[in-house]
Structure formats: C-alpha cells, structure tokens
Amino acid sequence: MPKLRSIESDEVVEIFTRFFEANDHLKIPGHSLAPDNDPSLLFINSGMAPMKKYFLGQEQPPLPRLCNVQRCIRTNDIEEVGDRHHLTYFEMLGSWSIGDYWKKTAIALAWELLTKGFGYPEDSLYATVYAGNAELGIPGDEDSVQYWKAVGMPDDHIVRLGDDNFWGPAGEFGPCGPCTEVFYDTGDAYGERYVPGGHFDDVNRYIEIWNAGVFMQFNKLPTGMSELDMKSVDTGAGLERMLMALNGYETVYETDLLKPLVDFVVDRVDSLDASSRSTLIVADHIRSVVGIVADGIVPSNSGAGYIPRRLIRRAIAAIHQAGTTDFDFAGMVQLAMDKAGSWNPQVQDNRAKVAEIFAKEQADFESVLEAGVRKLGDEFERLNGKMDGAEAFRFFSTYGLPVDTIRDYFVSRGGAFDGSGFDTAFAEHQEKSRNAKDDGSGGRARLDLSDYPATEFVGYSRLDAKGTIVGLFRDGEPVDQLADGDAGLIILDRTSFYAEGGGQVGDQGTLTCGAVTATVTDVVSPSANVYVHKADLSGGTLSVGDAVDVQVDAHMRRLTQANHSATHLLHAALRDVLGDTVTQAGSLVDSDRLRFDFTYGEKVPDDKLMEIEQRVNAAIRANYGGAIRTMGFDEAISEGALAFFEDKYDDEVRTIAFGDASMELCGGTHVAATGEIGTFVITSEGSVARGIRRIQALTGEAAFDYLRAYMAYAQQAAGRLNVKPEALETRVVELLKSSKKTQAEAPSISVKDLVAKAGSLSDGTPAVIAKIDAGSKQLRPTSVDVAAAINGVAILIAEADGKVHVAVAVAQDRTGDWKAGDILKPLLDHVGGRGGGKPNLAQGGGPDISGLPQLMDAAHAL
C-alpha cells in the first residue's frame, strides 16, 4: 500500500479533535464500553451508540455539535480476527450534528479534514452513496452526490450502492437513514480500478477510511418508515484503519497501537511470527480484555462478562498450542495498558484491577487447559485422529476448551476435524436451549402433549369447576401418580384456570380431591390448548383419572383482570394522544401491576403522559361495561378492533370493547365494567429498546397505596424543610441553587492527581497520604475513590472549619492486612480528636490544628 506519511495514533487523534473543535464541536470523553439502560446492546459497538438518547430527543446534548474518540467492541468479529483489518476492540473517531447541520456541511467537513488535515491526495478518494430502495419507498441520495461534486470529487469517483449504504436502527426499530462513505484507493497492485457501472472492490483495492455521514432522517416503525422531526448526522472513522492507510501498512497490526503487542508475542514464542494468525489473535484479545475490564466488566459465564473470559481463554490456548507454557501474560497486559492512549484515562486509573483480574482468570483456565489437552491426546487415539462435529461439541461443552484448540490439535497431528459438523451441533444446542424456555418442563426438552385432548376452559364465566386428571408429569417425565411433597404438572380435561397468554399471567389457586390439595402456582398452554397446571402436592396422592375440584384464587384473578382491562384503556389513550402510529410491542399483566410496551421514537413528554393518565381514569369513571363478542377476524377489524399480531389469531376471534373508549381482539379475562378498576396511576415511562417505550402502572388498591405513600413522603419532606407541602417544590429549587453555588465555589479534587502521588506502606501496599484543600464532606468519597484506584490505602487530611479532618479508606482486598480504624486512631491523637468507622473506611477530626505537622509525620511514618 502506498505510504502517505509517517504518523502515530496520538497525532491522528490530535488532528481529528483539533479540526472539529475549530469547527465548533465540543470534545466529549468516550463512553464506557458498558451501555447505559440499553438492553439491545451487550457492548458499545459504535461511536453513535451512546448518542441515541440525543438523536431520539430523550436528552439534550451539551451542544448540538460533538466529537470524541469512542472505544468499541464488535463481538461478531471475534472469529474474523487474524486477517488484515478485523478487530474485536477498536476505536472510533466520531463527530455528530444533533439537529444542527445536514448533508452539505458534513460532506464539506469530511473533504477538508481528509485532504487538508490528513493529506490524502484528492484523486485517491472515492465516495459511496445510497442508490435508494423502490420497494421501501426510499429515494436515492442524490443530494449527497451533488455535494460531493461541489467540493471537487469527480463524478466517476462517486459510487451508488444499495443496502450497504443504508444504516438501519441499532435494534429492530428506531432512527435510521442513508450514509455516504469515503474510500482510499490503494492502487493498481491491489485490484482492478473502478469503472462507473462496474464492480467496486471494497475488500482489496479500496479501503474505507471515513463514514462521512449517516444521515438520521427516518424512524423505522412496525408500520413503515416515517420522517424524523429532528435530523442528525453521525460520522465515524476507525482509528486503526486510518493509521493503516496513512502509513501504507498492509494490516492494522502494524500500527503503533498493535505492533508492540505483536512484537511481544514474536519475541517470546519461537514458533510464531508477525503474520501468524495466533500472534494476531493474542495481540487483539489482550488489548480487548484490557479495555473491557478497565471499564468495570468482570469476566463471567454469561452476559457481557462472557466475552472477556472467552477472549482470555482463546489467547492462552493459542499460546499453549504454539508450544509455550511459560508465556509472560502479565507483562503483555502491562504493555497493553501502556499503549492504551491518553484519551483512555480509565485504563491507567484501573491498572491494578485489570492486572489482578487477568491473573486470576489465567490461573483458573490454565488448570482447565492442562487437563483438557491431556484428554485431547486420549481422544485423538480413541477416534483414530478423526473428530466429528458431535464429538467436538461434546468435548467443547465438557472441558471448556476453545474450539480453535480442539481443531488445531487434531489438524496439526495429521488428523481431521469436522468444523461444519461442530457448527451444526452448536446450533442445535442453542435451539434446544431456546425451546426449553419455561414451558413447565423444568428446563428439559419440550413436553410431548400430542396425545392429550384440548382442555375445556370455563374460566371466563366462573372460577370453580369440576375436572378430571388426564395427565401427570414429574421432572418433565409422564407419571401415573404424584405423591405428597411432589412438585409436578397436572393436565385436566376441564379447568377454570386461565393459562398464561396475551401478556396476562396464569391463574393461581387449588385443585382438591378429598384430603389431597394441589396448590397451583402457574398455568401454561404450550401446545394445542392443552392447559398445564404447575402445582405442589400435599396431603396424599393424585392419580390419572382422579376427579378434582378446581378453584381459582378469586382475589388474584380480580386484581389481574383489572390490570388487563386497564392496559386496553391505556393502549387506546396512547393512540389518541400520541397518534395512531403507536402500536403495542408487548405487555405483562399480573395481580400486582401492569407493563405496556409500545412503539414511539422519543420520550413521552410529561404533559402528554398526564393527559394519557387522565383519559384512562375518565374511562374508568364512566364505568363502561365490557362487551365481549366472537366474530370473524375481518369483521372485527372492519369494526375498528385493534390487532397487531395477526398471525396469532384464528378466523374466529374474541373481542372486548369498553364503550367507545376501547375495542381490541383479546383472549384474556377482564372486568365486567371499567369502574371495577378503581384508580389508574402511571409509575414510570422509559426506553427499553430503540423506538420502543415502556409504561408501568398500578390500579385499584395498589394505585391508592402508591398515591398515599407519595403524599406521606411529601408531607414528611415538607415538615423537615418547615414548609407546607404545596411550597415544597419552591423550597427544593432554592436548596438546589444553593447547593450548586456551594459546589461551584468548592475546590476541585483530582483523584487522578492524587493517584499519581502513590507510594507504599511498610509491607508494600500501595498508598496515598496527602493533605488536600477540601471540606470535610469531600474527604470520605475522595478517599474511597483513591483507595479503589490504587487497590491500597488512602489517608487524606484537610483543614476546614477550624478543625483537622482525616479520612482513611482501605481497598476491600487489603482489609486483611490493614484496618482503617486502626490507622486513624493514633493519627487523631496528635490533634486531640476522635473518630471511627468500618475496616474499609474511617473518618474523624480534632480541634488542635497545631498538631497537624505531627499528624502528617505519623502518617508518612507508615
């Protein structure tokens, strides 16, 4: 690849940030790799991910123009690591316009930065734009074409592409739009030159260096695309790829961010060189783990924590497979932290924690690895060197070895490994895990209910019934009897228990047969309307064929159906207030509360939320009767019934209507009239995924208790502030203003500066002993932060309010050697003071300021 200049990462970051700051962008710190309140993401995977709250209007940005360097994790790239440019952990240079400038300015800024800031020759740059999609009704992005021409890009350097140039939402729904990307031409040696209308080789010859703009102009909803009220721009460039292109490197592993790690491996493992896939895997994975753990994500067997554990194990296994068993992983972790970049201060702040966690994971896995590799030798002999997919998956799941290790062991010894068979076995395992979701089978494979007749449900009109047991299960297996103390599953020919469905939980109650009682805790219907009652048995034995008395818990049913009817009224009110593009995205109704998820691209304003709540309560006061009818699906829709999951409905459907307030298709149980709901109170509204909001609410007695509790809180708070409840808000505002003023006037304490002064105690424990310019209230939290940062002891002293104040904090791991109170007490003797606390934190003070020098001497003597 042609070399444009010699440049390292810190200079690239400096050029980028200086350029955008000069163009009125506020530089903000990178976000933690752990997402905030975003269940759609395991990790932050792009510069835009932490900005969604701004794009959706949920929060106001500090300025409409922002820029930063954002660390990212792409878990779907783990298996691709080891090629020219794939990385698990990478850093994104990003800039944003949130309701400010649009395509023309974004393209002009990108062109200026690339050609003048970084020095790319103009004739080496190509741009891709979105060609449009007629089926979705989205036109091609001809505006961007004209703006590229306006800055000087030749027409034959502008390439119209399809879906690759349309960025969908991070989840199923939400903000999205076309994008325009900039590619660097690496020359004829890397492939055929692009000719308009021909193939654009974006794998070998043309390297993407900048996404000049994802233009957020649409909101994807279940009903289709709609225009966003506020249009925004998201740009980004991978730091590693930018370094590769500018320096003319063949791979990202030659950049100053990764080459030192590659060299570290090569210098210590004789069988590996700089191009070995194992070398690159280890370099990438160690760097990734450092970034993940520094952000507080601890290795574990599930969730986000599974990723650093997996990366650590793959790296260790790769080194062992290369024939080295004494590799200095601790030294490599230290090197990775040294190379983390000044824009990532969280790494330096957490060096001790990162090193400690890695060392523990290494020790735990190496013992597993040693035993597993020994077993591999036995397997190789037993299988005559040929491991099929099923055997490979069994070994993988039993011994926890990375599949790479298993494959390489067999192949390197002349054997065979069925990779596609392993993938199939792994996929089948995942499918079984999904299918075993709570259907009453105790986590085993699904119950076979094909031989059981459909259960007659009579629970719409009554809560009691007579039924006959037609099936029993214990531990997921069919049995003839359940005995006293058993937990099992009971299938009846007839029941009044409602089975979980449509967001409504299953009923609870009892089944009785003489002296025998089965307490029903839940009811599900996993197949063909066969109702499965989960029950705990007491008082004797139940057998297939026994007749039982069925009794639903009337109180719980009444509360549950009140909440269910309230969700219907809520759904109607949401559409009335927010518009009929609002659709149901899920719900949960039980006896305690209701939860309703719906499609909406932004936070519901407080005044709208209040109006929705008022509409529901107005419908409750109107005491509309519940009109239940069975009719054809098409007829129900034509009459205005709401239905959003059509594939779940039969030709004949059940509808429930409450006056002119609501009409929906529904198989659940409901109140006879809305007045039975009592009161409706919204307790929260928030985002659960891109474009999906959630309202939680209470009804009846629970709503009344909620309101009464809040009234008590308000009265108590007002009493403490010596004002009437109606004046509480005014007094709180005054206090907040006063607090902000005090904080603004208080001296700033830098934990980072204090950590830089760390020394050690007599036994080598890291310690910070310092007198700081602060009030007594700032000592306690600051000492805790410092002790945690150094994994040691912090002794902070301050002089304020005519007294000497001392706080001692000890990191949790160090309390076996040092106790905060034991350190504090002799220090306070020098100032005539008193104090105390817990082993990890103690605080006190004394009036004798003249003894401060002796106190400091005694602290340093430690």
Side-chain angles (χ1 to χ4, degrees), residues 393-604:
F393 179 75
R394 180 189 65 78
F395 204 88
F396 162 81
S397 59
T398 301
Y399 297 103
L401 291 183
V403 68
D404 294 345
T405 301
I406 304 171
R407 178 184 57 241
D408 293 348
Y409 188 95
F410 271 69
V411 173
S412 66
R413 288 162 175 76
F417 178 86
D418 181 9
S420 61
F422 173 85
D423 293 341
T424 299
F426 188 75
E428 289 174 353
H429 166 74
Q430 290 179 311
E431 183 64 23
K432 287 179 181 177
S433 297
R434 282 191 290 269
N435 287 342
K437 187 178 180 181
D438 191 10
D439 62 359
S441 61
R444 296 167 177 77
R446 284 186 176 275
L447 298 175
D448 182 4
L449 302 176
S450 57
D451 293 334
Y452 293 91
T455 305
E456 180 187 359
F457 175 62
V458 297
Y460 286 135
S461 58
R462 57 190 302 170
L463 299 181
D464 62 334
K466 299 282 187 180
T468 300
I469 297 174
V470 297
L472 295 171
F473 287 81
R474 185 194 300 113
D475 296 330
E477 299 295 333
V479 294
D480 293 328
Q481 288 186 334
L482 291 177
D484 184 30
D486 280 347
L489 309 174
I490 302 174
I491 300 175
L492 304 177
D493 66 341
R494 190 169 187 259
T495 188
S496 53
F497 281 84
Y498 180 80
E500 178 183 349
Q504 180 176 332
V505 299
D507 279 329
Q508 297 183 20
T510 59
L511 307 175
T512 56
C513 178
V516 183
T517 299
T519 302
V520 178
T521 57
D522 196 8
V523 184
V524 296
S525 180
S527 174
N529 295 321
V530 177
Y531 283 36
V532 179
H533 304 70
K534 299 182 183 182
D536 298 317
L537 207 66
S538 63
T541 301
L542 284 180
S543 302
V544 174
D546 284 349
V548 295
D549 291 319
V550 180
Q551 182 62 57
V552 173
D553 184 317
H555 179 65
M556 293 191 69
R557 167 71 82 85
R558 179 176 60 80
L559 297 177
T560 301
Q561 62 191 20
N563 283 333
H564 197 164
S565 298
T567 63
H568 284 220
L569 300 180
L570 171 61
H571 191 183
L574 282 165
R575 290 168 61 85
D576 288 343
V577 175
L578 302 180
D580 57 14
T581 59
V582 168
T583 59
Q584 180 177 340
S587 66
L588 174 66
V589 176
D590 63 20
S591 59
D592 296 325
R593 69 200 188 287
L594 67 89
R595 187 182 78 203
F596 190 81
D597 297 345
F598 57 100
T599 57
Y600 197 62
E602 57 186 303
K603 176 178 172 57
V604 180

Side-chain angles (χ1 to χ4, degrees), residues 262-274:
V262 170
D263 292 344
F264 190 95
V265 175
V266 172
D267 290 345
R268 290 161 177 79
V269 184
D270 294 338
S271 62
L272 298 178
D273 59 31

Side-chain angles (χ1 to χ4, degrees), residues 64 69 166 207 329 576 759:
V69 183
F166 190 91
I207 302 295
F329 278 106
D576 288 343

Side-chain angles (χ1 to χ4, degrees), residues 577 604-614:
V577 175
V604 180
D606 290 343
D607 61 332
K608 297 291 187 184
L609 209 59
M610 185 178 296
E611 183 181 352
I612 291 164
E613 189 178 70
Q614 288 172 341

Side-chain angles (χ1 to χ4, degrees), residues 239-431:
L239 175 57
E240 296 85 355
R241 197 174 293 193
M242 182 68 75
L243 284 164
M244 180 180 78
L246 289 170
N247 286 283
Y249 296 142
E250 291 297 316
T251 77
V252 292
Y253 292 94
E254 298 172 66
T255 66
D256 68 296
L257 295 172
L258 284 151
K259 188 175 186 302
L261 301 176
V262 170
D263 292 344
F264 190 95
V265 175
V266 172
D267 290 345
R268 290 161 177 79
V269 184
D270 294 338
S271 62
L272 298 178
D273 59 31
S275 62
S276 300
R277 185 168 185 265
S278 292
T279 301
L280 306 185
I281 285 173
V282 174
D284 167 88
H285 287 9
I286 297 301
R287 180 178 181 234
S288 302
V289 168
V290 165
I292 293 171
V293 176
D295 271 336
I297 301 167
V298 179
S300 66
N301 285 329
S302 62
Y306 173 67
I307 298 303
R309 176 160 290 173
R310 179 185 177 193
L311 297 176
I312 290 171
R313 293 185 169 192
R314 289 188 90 218
I316 294 171
I319 292 295
H320 278 247
Q321 187 66 20
T324 299
T325 57
D326 59 350
F327 186 79
D328 183 14
F329 278 106
M332 192 171 183
V333 168
Q334 293 295 330
L335 177 63
M337 291 190 284
D338 291 341
K339 299 298 178 182
S342 60
W343 54 91
N344 286 316
Q346 77 286 348
V347 174
Q348 307 313 323
D349 291 344
N350 293 285
R351 290 185 73 106
K353 181 178 72 173
V354 172
E356 178 186 358
I357 289 175
F358 190 98
K360 183 180 184 304
E361 287 291 309
Q362 179 185 353
D364 289 347
F365 180 59
E366 283 183 336
S367 62
V368 173
L369 180 63
E370 183 179 350
V373 171
R374 283 199 305 268
K375 292 287 185 181
L376 272 179
D378 298 338
E379 290 294 291
F380 190 88
E381 294 297 326
R382 185 178 71 84
L383 299 171
N384 295 318
K386 297 180 179 179
M387 180 170 273
D388 64 24
E391 284 289 344
F393 179 75
R394 180 189 65 78
F395 204 88
F396 162 81
S397 59
T398 301
Y399 297 103
L401 291 183
V403 68
D404 294 345
T405 301
I406 304 171
R407 178 184 57 241
D408 293 348
Y409 188 95
F410 271 69
V411 173
S412 66
R413 288 162 175 76
F417 178 86
D418 181 9
S420 61
F422 173 85
D423 293 341
T424 299
F426 188 75
E428 289 174 353
H429 166 74
Q430 290 179 311
E431 183 64 23

Side-chain angles (χ1 to χ4, degrees), residues 349 742-757 768 770-787 794-800 805 807 843:
D349 291 344
T742 301
Q743 291 175 12
E745 293 172 351
S748 173
I749 304 173
S750 170
V751 172
K752 185 176 179 180
D753 289 345
L754 289 170
V755 169
K757 300 176 181 178
V768 169
K771 181 176 182 294
I772 62 176
D773 183 14
S776 61
K777 292 183 179 180
Q778 293 172 280
L779 281 181
R780 185 185 184 97
T782 307
S783 65
V784 171
D785 291 343
V786 173
I795 304 172
L796 302 185
I797 301 105
E799 182 183 341
H805 302 272
Q843 186 172 1

